[in-house]
Amino acid sequence: MRVTIAIDDETAFRITKAAEGEGLTKEEWMIAACTKALDAGENTPAKIPEDYNKLHSSIKEKDNEILSLRKEINHQIELKETYSRFLEEKVQRIDDLKEEIARIESMSMTMTDQILLDRDERIKDLNKMIEHLQAQAAAHSVALQSAIKPALEGKVRKDDMEEIRETEDGNKPKRMRWFFRK
């Protein structure tokens, strides 16, 4: 049979000194003391030592302490698990945000390329339109010049003829002839 007991420091010191005095180990001395006490007290009722109540209350306090420490340990384990879950969620969110940022950057680059391509196409279209309008303007200019040139030449000759007539007539001064012409 195996027996485990808790004793105070003073009693343990006394047991150690008594065991050394008789040349025994503490365990051997305890067995011998228990045997002697049992042999001597076979006819007498067992007497509870005075320190028993003190030791018993000390053991109860230690048990209560152990229980509260176990509760605290369980609480700490729960906190650790919760904290670990939060860290995992945080890492997952960071990974999700990284993926979202990469997707947005990709879309941004695609949109920028598309905008630049559209801009280049618009510039080409506008350049073609400008060239077309310049060609039309040049064609209209040539057409107008060819249409106006004979009329201008005819009018210049008519004006020259009138001027000559007026100077021959002498009726109207040169500066006044512009007022009467219409």
Side-chain angles (χ1 to χ4, degrees):
M1 170 164 99
R2 178 179 202 144
V3 176
T4 304
I5 59 168
I7 55 174
D8 61 81
D9 291 337
E10 184 181 326
T11 306
F13 180 72
R14 286 173 55 199
I15 290 172
T16 304
K17 284 290 181 189
E20 287 175 358
E22 294 186 23
L24 301 171
T25 64
K26 290 185 278 186
E27 290 81 16
E28 292 171 338
W29 187 88
M30 296 266 308
I31 292 169
C34 289
T35 305
K36 184 177 176 184
L38 288 172
D39 289 343
E42 279 183 345
N43 297 330
T44 62
K47 181 181 172 189
I48 297 176
E50 296 173 13
D51 292 339
Y52 175 77
N53 289 334
K54 189 176 174 184
L55 289 174
H56 186 66
S57 65
S58 174
I59 289 172
K60 281 213 177 258
E61 285 177 17
K62 297 294 181 187
D63 286 344
N64 290 338
E65 248 183 81
I66 289 170
L67 286 175
S68 66
L69 287 173
R70 282 186 181 158
K71 286 179 183 177
E72 184 65 27
I73 288 171
N74 289 336
H75 182 68
Q76 293 295 328
I77 289 171
E78 289 173 6
L79 286 175
K80 180 185 174 198
E81 290 171 354
T82 304
Y83 184 71
S84 295
R85 255 192 341 263
F86 284 144
L87 283 177
E88 288 173 9
E89 288 176 12
K90 177 185 167 193
V91 168
Q92 182 62 40
R93 286 182 188 161
I94 288 172
D95 290 343
D96 291 346
L97 287 173
K98 285 179 182 177
E99 288 176 12
E100 187 69 22
I101 288 170
R103 190 177 63 79
I104 290 171
E105 284 177 348
S106 170
M107 287 175 51
S108 173
M109 294 173 98
T110 304
M111 291 300 290
T112 302
D113 291 345
Q114 185 64 38
I115 289 169
L116 290 175
L117 212 86
D118 289 348
R119 186 193 69 181
D120 291 343
E121 288 178 14
R122 287 184 189 144
I123 289 172
K124 286 178 186 176
D125 290 345
L126 288 173
N127 284 337
K128 286 180 184 178
M129 191 182 298
I130 289 170
E131 289 172 1
H132 178 70
L133 290 173
Q134 285 175 342
Q136 280 184 339
H140 287 302
S141 175
V142 168
L144 283 174
Q145 285 177 358
S146 64
I148 293 175
K149 191 173 184 182
L152 284 177
E153 288 177 0
K155 186 170 184 170
V156 170
R157 289 185 188 156
K158 188 177 179 184
D159 286 343
D160 290 341
M161 297 301 271
E162 280 183 27
E163 214 175 286
I164 294 172
R165 272 192 238 138
E166 287 175 3
T167 53
E168 289 176 0
D169 290 342
N171 302 5
K172 302 178 191 170
K174 237 182 181 181
R175 67 174 206 260
M176 295 292 285
R177 100 183 139 167
W178 298 108
F179 287 97
F180 297 110
R181 186 190 314 166
K182 280 194 179 180

